[in-house]
Amino acid sequence: MGEMLIQLSPKQAKLKEELQEYFEGLITPDLQAELRDPEHFEGGGPEFKKAMRTMGADGWIGLSWKKELGGKNLSPMEQYIFVETVMRTGFPFPFLTTESVGPMIAEHGSDWAKEEVATKILKGELFFGIGYSEPNSGTDLASLQTKAIRNREGYLINGQKMWTSLANFSDYIWLAARTDFEAKNHKGISMFIVPTNDPGFSMTAINTLGDVRTNATFYDNIHVPESHLVGQPNEGWSLITSQLNLERLALVNHGPVEELYKNVLSLAQSTKINDNQYLIDLTWVQHNFAQVYSGIEALKLICWKQTWIMESGRLNMAEASVAKVYGSEFFIEAYRLLMEIMGELSLLKNDSELSILNAKLERMYRTASILTFGGGTNEVQRDIIAMAGLLMPRTR
Amino acid sequence: MDFSEMNHQGEIRDSLDRILVEHCVPENLKNFDAAFKHDAELMSFLASQGYLGLGIHEKYGGSGENLYDLGILFEKLGFHAAPLSLIGCLAEVAQTIQKFSEHESHQALIASILKGDIHTSAILEPLNQDPENPLTRAEIAGDKLTITGTKYLSELASISKSLLVSANSDEGVLLVLVDKEHANVSELTTTANTPAFKVDFDGVSIDRSAIIHAQGRGLEALKYLLQTSMVMRSYLALGITEKMTALIAAYTSEREQFGRVIGSFQAVSHRAADCFIDLECLRLVSQQAAINLNTNHDCENDALVAKIWAGNACHRISYSAQHLHGGMGVDKDYVLWRYCLLAKECELINGSASQNIDRLGLNITANQ
Ligand SMILES: Cc1cc2nc3c(=O)[nH]c(=O)nc-3n(C[C@H](O)[C@H](O)[C@H](O)COP(=O)(O)OP(=O)(O)OC[C@H]3O[C@@H](n4cnc5c(N)ncnc54)[C@H](O)[C@@H]3O)c2cc1C
């Protein structure tokens, strides 16, 4: 083993630069305007769809996919850099569709799914909503009740999903349904590709604190042919969990918070509070910035180390959970500290006179909380850390 | 020492609860989520029942000068997320005039407020970190004042009859009552949809008699106004965080995952208990500040302590509540989200915790 090295390799640094340039070109003023509209925060608008097709054509979708499936097979570190750069721009890249669901379909799907679905995902032409959670199955996902009953032609699906984000502009739902009713919870689940244009599919919008729209989705006697099953029957759980560590890491990428820190810092540096002083001259403001800075350093290192561990193909349960708990809770602290610096101005909405930074600060704090319970709630992550990291007894 | 409330205070609390529970039902609150957030009907009902006179001297028709009583009103408005923003009117304007004005015309304004009219304050200025030292100027020439400057986050300014404005002058700080018609008022949009306004004074000329306090007492009056505002906002925060904590207790006692109620997970119950602890601290420091301000018009450190706790409790309890509710907490069909936005606003207005800690640190370490 060589000496420890904590920096991007020249090749990785070059990738980052290349990506930065690429996104500068991709994100046009029209797209920016569209993304400010609450309807389209999370994508789905015409400009967004155009950008996704361009990315597909330019080979920027499918980075995690194996080469033989048409992907780039980038290493975890390169994927991390990709996620970081995209998130800094604020572009709502549909990571779950393209980098989790996509490669699973490409690898485990039927011929139809491989040809019709996977290739179109790579081209940026198809979008998925994730149908895992249900009204009574959130953290305890394995208790889900949506049913898929086997019949001669395929499967008959009935049930309700909750918080199915992006369903409002998706072509398909990546749906977890119960296929074995005798087996223990997670052993009876299978994964399906369910078309949203089926007459048995319906949804109602759920509006949230962060102005992000999500949906309750309903499945009423939807029939899908066998080709819509992905993987083996009753083995869906391993598909759900296979990408979990990478997904958790993507959730707490240090890019967006560092970008926000830089935005607020330069605003505070140029903001006069009286004839002789800038906002940045106040001791407490310097303290707040320093707290955010030191928090970002730790987050960056945790994420880099975790990614580096994945590069060698190893998996470290405790450290993935450390990243998820620390990152999600740090975001909330960081947004608070930065809002304190701008004071009441950070309460103003985007369309208000006197608003700052397009109200990005205000909006980020409103969406921050969902990461502490989403992606595996933090209590459960702490249980994992105590068990896997400290070898302590399992909590009851 | 006696921590018990007086009989009438428990009664005020109970009867306000009865009124507001009935009035602030979700269907009604929804009407104000996007529209102008001022419930005129509730306002006139509170006026007719005498609640706007809490903390006001009997000679004006109030229930007696006691900020503790007024605090109960703000606590309850917060608890029920009432669509009324009354710190400017009831805490800043009415209380400061009552304490510092000797003019009959100004005192008449208190009677007008008790009837349900809005007279609000225009004190805060964008980016001015020191509201005791306003950037707004009042030029004095004989019997006339000319006021120039920009204020913001003035509550309900558009429907306010007059504005109590802080300004610097050659005679030091002044608090001046200006007719709303003399100001340019424009609406700001805030996350909590609070009716907050930017107010511009573009060389407004008024009579010297608009100054509400005796000569040389401007700074003292402004300090009192700011401290009263901080303490009443802490009471508002108290109500907001009490409600969020109650929602945590109720929801986690019912929601089941893994075949048991989530409140039975120790991590969940401990986090809820931490909210209870924060709440108790906030309640006590707010009560102490209100009681001390009743007898001493300059209790800056008490007010700062209350507001620091308000900021911290709002932040911590809001995120605990969101976390413990899971997705339900952010769903706009459930009640929690409104409280989260109100909590953030309470946290940041009248100085954030970091800013006030800095100020308190300077105060308590200064060599006498
Ligand atoms: C905006 C938004 C978008 C979403 N998008 C999607 C999506 O696209 N697809 C999808 O499938 N889902 C989505 N979700 C759902 C998300 O994954 C769930 O909210 C999450 O899994 C938590 O489930 P829950 O909300 O039912 O909370 P619950 O499971 O009820 O948990 C609430 C709280 O209970 C406590 N708790 C629960 N279990 C334990 C335990 N074992 N030990 C200790 N404490 C515990 C924790 O404090 C937890 O935070 C979304 C949610 C939101 C809010």
Side-chain angles (χ1 to χ4, degrees):
Chain A
M1 249 178 259
E3 209 174 313
M4 190 180 284
L5 183 69
I6 307 185
Q7 62 186 44
L8 299 183
S9 74
K11 194 172 149 234
Q12 290 161 347
K14 196 164 152 278
L15 173 69
K16 191 167 169 176
E17 234 172 79
E18 192 186 337
L19 281 164
Q20 271 163 354
E21 264 171 44
Y22 181 75
F23 281 108
E24 268 164 37
L26 186 78
I27 299 181
T28 59
D30 282 351
L31 176 55
Q32 267 170 340
E34 179 182 289
L35 294 176
R36 271 199 289 274
D37 173 3
E39 267 292 299
H40 294 129
F41 278 159
E42 293 212 303
E47 292 295 327
F48 164 82
K49 288 192 169 164
K50 204 163 86 189
M52 284 304 294
R53 288 204 168 91
T54 308
M55 288 187 76
D58 295 342
W60 283 119
I61 297 180
L63 306 182
S64 62
W65 303 31
K66 289 181 188 148
K67 277 237 165 68
E68 58 270 28
L69 299 173
K72 282 206 161 176
N73 199 22
L74 290 190
S75 71
M77 197 64 209
E78 290 165 326
Q79 288 182 50
Y80 185 85
I81 292 168
F82 178 77
V83 175
E84 179 191 334
T85 318
V86 182
M87 284 182 127
R88 280 179 192 268
T89 68
F91 181 71
F93 188 81
F95 292 106
L96 283 175
T97 298
T98 66
E99 306 306 324
S100 296
V101 176
M104 284 190 266
I105 293 176
E107 189 156 357
H108 305 286
S110 64
D111 290 345
W112 166 81
K114 282 180 179 151
E115 274 157 38
E116 278 299 307
V117 181
T119 34
K120 286 192 179 157
I121 291 178
L122 274 184
K123 287 188 187 155
E125 292 174 0
L126 266 190
F127 300 95
F128 268 78
I130 309 290
Y132 292 161
S133 309
E134 296 182 1
N136 294 317
S137 304
T139 304
D140 184 11
L141 182 60
S143 68
L144 62 88
Q145 293 301 319
T146 295
K147 300 190 273 239
I149 312 259
R150 184 97 179 83
N151 56 26
R152 234 175 300 143
E153 297 89 37
Y155 290 87
L156 189 65
I157 297 176
N158 276 291
Q160 186 198 336
K161 293 289 173 182
M162 191 65 179
W163 322 111
T164 323
S165 303
L166 316 184
N168 41 309
F169 67 87
S170 291
D171 307 277
Y172 295 102
I173 304 296
W174 172 249
L175 188 88
R178 185 161 300 287
T179 39
D180 184 337
F181 299 86
E182 324 280 74
K184 240 188 125 200
N185 268 349
H186 61 277
K187 291 205 171 124
I189 294 170
S190 307
M191 295 309 306
F192 294 91
I193 300 174
V194 177
T196 54
N197 63 6
D198 190 285
F201 177 83
S202 61
M203 71 181 119
T204 54
I206 303 173
N207 298 309
T208 66
L209 170 64
D211 285 339
V212 176
R213 172 187 169 156
T214 178
N215 308 281
T217 50
F218 304 91
Y219 308 80
D220 180 16
N221 279 325
I222 295 186
H223 179 266
V224 294
E226 173 121 34
S227 60
H228 287 48
L229 169 75
V230 178
Q232 294 303 308
N234 303 324
E235 287 183 9
W237 190 252
S238 66
L239 291 184
I240 294 179
T241 53
S242 67
Q243 307 259 4
L244 222 54
N245 282 350
L246 256 179
E247 283 166 19
R248 289 206 176 117
L249 208 58
L251 291 181
V252 297
N253 192 294
H254 77 284
V257 67
E258 191 180 68
E259 198 64 25
L260 187 67
Y261 159 81
K262 284 186 185 166
N263 295 156
V264 178
L265 181 59
S266 72
L267 181 61
Q269 280 167 331
S270 58
T271 298
K272 274 199 147 174
I273 53 171
N274 55 43
D275 287 344
N276 319 312
Q277 280 184 306
Y278 288 88
L279 192 49
I280 206 75
D281 293 328
L282 301 172
T283 323
W284 70 266
V285 170
Q286 295 163 1
H287 282 187
N288 277 26
F289 275 123
Q291 283 184 59
V292 177
Y293 181 91
S294 59
I296 293 172
E297 285 299 299
L299 180 63
K300 179 185 76 185
L301 293 169
I302 286 174
C303 289
W304 278 359
K305 183 178 174 194
Q306 178 62 26
T307 313
W308 169 81
I309 293 173
M310 287 181 189
E311 295 252 290
S312 61
R314 280 174 294 150
L315 186 92
N316 187 320
M317 291 256 287
E319 283 185 81
S321 297
V322 168
K324 200 269 165 176
V325 172
Y326 171 71
S328 58
E329 293 179 5
F330 168 65
F331 290 155
I332 286 170
E333 283 317 303
Y335 300 158
R336 178 191 188 193
L337 291 163
L338 295 174
M339 287 185 98
E340 283 191 328
I341 291 170
M342 296 317 301
E344 301 104 338
L345 285 174
S346 47
L347 296 168
L348 300 175
K349 292 192 125 180
N350 195 21
D351 56 0
S352 181
E353 205 181 339
L354 300 176
S355 83
I356 51 165
L357 301 173
N358 293 322
K360 182 172 158 189
L361 188 51
E362 177 277 314
R363 208 172 72 221
M364 280 175 80
Y365 106 82
R366 276 192 286 135
T367 50
S369 69
I370 65 177
L371 293 184
T372 67
F373 58 80
T377 196
N378 284 1
E379 286 91 339
V380 174
Q381 304 306 314
R382 285 188 163 92
D383 286 346
I384 294 172
I385 294 167
M387 269 193 307
L390 293 165
L391 308 179
M392 288 170 66
R394 193 190 155 89
T395 37
R396 283 276 83 217
Chain B
M1 199 166 294
D2 183 354
F3 279 91
S4 57
E5 282 189 338
M6 290 187 271
N7 283 340
H8 81 275
Q9 291 164 338
E11 282 160 22
I12 296 170
R13 177 171 281 113
D14 291 346
S15 52
L16 273 171
D17 261 333
R18 273 196 300 276
I19 294 169
L20 294 171
V21 147
E22 213 168 282
H23 201 90
C24 298
V25 288
E27 302 83 76
N28 189 31
L29 295 185
K30 264 198 181 110
N31 294 331
F32 296 96
D33 285 342
F36 184 63
K37 196 167 118 185
H38 177 67
D39 190 338
E41 196 185 311
L42 177 59
M43 183 76 181
S44 36
F45 187 72
L46 291 178
S48 71
Q49 301 296 305
Y51 289 103
L52 304 183
L54 289 173
I56 297 289
H57 197 285
E58 290 88 343
K59 72 179 176 201
Y60 304 111
S63 66
E65 280 184 280
N66 189 345
L67 286 173
Y68 190 103
D69 294 358
L70 184 57
I72 296 174
L73 176 65
F74 283 110
E75 180 185 341
K76 286 295 142 195
L77 291 175
F79 189 90
H80 296 279
L84 287 177
S85 300
L86 298 177
I87 297 223
C89 180
L90 298 184
E92 300 182 0
V93 176
Q95 289 298 324
T96 308
I97 287 183
Q98 155 166 286
K99 295 286 188 318
F100 286 90
S101 171
E102 280 141 24
H103 262 278
E104 264 175 42
S105 67
H106 302 152
Q107 293 169 350
L109 184 143
I110 298 181
S112 160
I113 289 176
L114 260 58
K115 269 190 0 224
D117 294 337
I118 303 289
H119 298 265
T120 198
S121 64
I123 302 290
L124 301 177
E125 299 167 333
L127 290 166
N128 182 0
Q129 303 281 314
D130 184 9
E132 286 178 16
N133 195 5
L135 298 171
T136 299
R137 286 287 307 174
E139 300 305 337
I140 304 173
D143 272 351
K144 290 282 181 193
L145 303 176
T146 308
I147 300 186
T148 309
T150 297
K151 301 288 184 178
Y152 87 146
L153 298 179
S154 171
E155 289 170 347
L156 296 172
S158 63
I159 57 165
S160 187
K161 296 202 142 89
S162 51
L163 303 164
L164 184 61
V165 183
S166 56
N168 252 315
S169 74
D170 293 346
E171 294 176 10
V173 168
L174 305 176
L175 280 179
V176 186
L177 260 181
V178 183
D179 196 300
K180 201 273 302 293
E181 302 310 321
H182 293 319
N184 288 320
V185 167
S186 60
E187 188 161 13
L188 302 169
T189 47
T190 67
T191 44
N193 194 32
T194 297
F197 291 81
K198 175 165 164 275
V199 182
D200 287 300
F201 299 97
D202 188 10
V204 174
S205 173
I206 47 168
D207 264 16
R208 204 191 154 94
S209 63
I211 300 172
I212 63 148
H213 46 80
Q215 193 149 13
R217 292 189 73 192
L219 183 59
E220 196 190 336
L222 178 58
K223 280 167 89 83
Y224 174 79
L225 178 149
L226 292 168
Q227 290 168 27
T228 307
S229 181
M230 275 199 241
V231 176
M232 290 303 117
R233 200 168 305 277
S234 302
Y235 269 97
L236 196 62
L238 176 63
I240 291 166
T241 50
E242 272 172 340
K243 177 68 180 198
M244 291 196 282
T245 307
L247 289 171
I248 291 174
Y251 186 78
T252 62
S253 301
E254 274 191 4
R255 169 75 173 168
E256 286 185 22
Q257 286 290 279
F258 303 97
R260 55 196 267 195
V261 291
I262 57 176
S264 70
F265 289 112
Q266 197 168 38
V268 170
S269 58
H270 283 192
R271 185 127 183 218
D274 284 342
C275 295
F276 189 87
I277 295 169
D278 271 343
L279 206 51
E280 190 60 13
C281 293
L282 173 58
R283 188 189 331 275
L284 290 170
V285 293
S286 302
Q287 288 174 341
Q288 170 172 267
I291 290 169
N292 288 351
L293 255 185
N294 274 337
T295 48
N296 175 356
H297 294 171
D298 189 2
C299 303
E300 184 174 353
N301 290 353
D302 290 334
L304 284 168
V305 169
K307 188 60 195 23
I308 289 165
W309 273 99
N312 288 335
C314 278
H315 175 74
R316 291 196 288 251
I317 296 178
S318 175
Y319 280 102
S320 295
Q322 290 175 60
H323 175 76
L324 297 174
H325 276 80
M328 188 59 81
V330 298
D331 183 347
K332 285 194 176 177
D333 279 338
Y334 182 70
V335 290
L336 182 65
W337 71 279
R338 280 192 199 90
Y339 290 91
C340 298
L341 296 179
L342 289 170
K344 189 43 106 180
E345 185 175 281
C346 261
E347 183 193 338
L348 291 179
I349 299 185
N350 296 116
S352 64
S354 292
Q355 187 182 358
N356 286 335
I357 280 173
D358 184 70
R359 174 101 192 202
L360 180 63
L362 286 174
N363 286 356
I364 62 181
T365 57
N367 283 321
Q368 294 305 315

